[in-house]
Amino acid sequence: MKLPRSIAGWTIAVFGVLALVMGAVGLLWPEAQLRMLGFEVPATRAVGDYTGTFLVASSMAAFNMGVYYLLATVTEWRAFYRFTVVFRLVTFTVFTIAVLADITPDRFFGVAAWEGLGALATAVGLRLDARRGAPAGEVVMSEGVEAAALAEEGTGPAGAAPADAAR
């Protein structure tokens, strides 16, 4: 696998690896996953307790999400990076409201904080990447710069003068 080529790419890769690992743990050792989250693990489950079913479904979703994030890292899919910032902030908001409304236990705020901090880290990474230029293999030009470069090459729009003639 190729290493990330940008700061934002590293934030996405870290989240992707953690989502993949945590999803695998939830699938292979659900009790450990529950304990890591600070939830009790009773010796037996009551009839109608679908904790295991929900854990398998959410763990599989986390595993898949990890794969998606790593694929985005390998391809340096910056639109995906920006998308994750918005929706991880939405996740932070929803999880925080769930804690404040006593829908989830207080310790669940750790999950909300993880999402919020991850979103902020990626947003900062995107900003820093933009300031220092695009990562390797990505061409970033403003419209004016691109038009001037094309005109200089003689491949610009019909009627465009070479850059030397404009001076």
Side-chain angles (χ1 to χ4, degrees):
M1 182 171 147
K2 296 181 343 186
L3 291 176
R5 299 181 308 248
S6 65
I7 297 167
W10 277 103
T11 69
I12 296 294
V14 166
F15 184 76
V17 167
L18 290 173
L20 187 82
V21 169
M22 294 306 287
V25 168
L27 289 169
L28 300 172
W29 194 13
E31 295 82 14
Q33 179 86 27
L34 290 170
R35 284 188 188 98
M36 279 191 289
L37 291 169
F39 295 115
E40 293 178 27
V41 180
T44 59
R45 295 271 175 202
V47 174
D49 180 351
Y50 296 106
T51 302
T53 303
F54 180 76
L55 191 57
V56 166
S58 61
S59 294
M60 192 67 232
F63 185 89
N64 286 340
M65 187 171 55
V67 172
Y68 304 153
Y69 272 65
L70 292 174
L71 178 61
T73 300
V74 169
T75 61
E76 195 67 33
W77 188 13
R78 301 189 66 76
F80 180 83
Y81 297 178
R82 289 186 295 275
F83 176 85
T84 67
V85 169
V86 173
F87 282 93
R88 289 185 79 187
L89 288 174
V90 168
T91 302
F92 165 78
T93 303
V94 169
F95 286 1
T96 299
I97 290 169
V99 170
L100 295 174
D102 286 328
I103 297 168
T104 59
D106 290 347
R107 65 185 161 267
F108 196 68
F109 183 72
V111 180
W114 169 253
E115 291 291 338
L117 292 173
L120 293 176
T122 300
V124 168
L126 285 165
R127 179 155 298 200
L128 292 172
D129 290 342
R131 284 187 182 161
R132 70 180 177 106
E138 189 173 312
V139 178
V140 174
M141 291 188 202
S142 69
E143 212 171 294
V145 172
E146 185 176 11
L150 292 174
E152 189 172 74
E153 293 175 13
T155 59
D164 292 327
R167 291 183 193 151

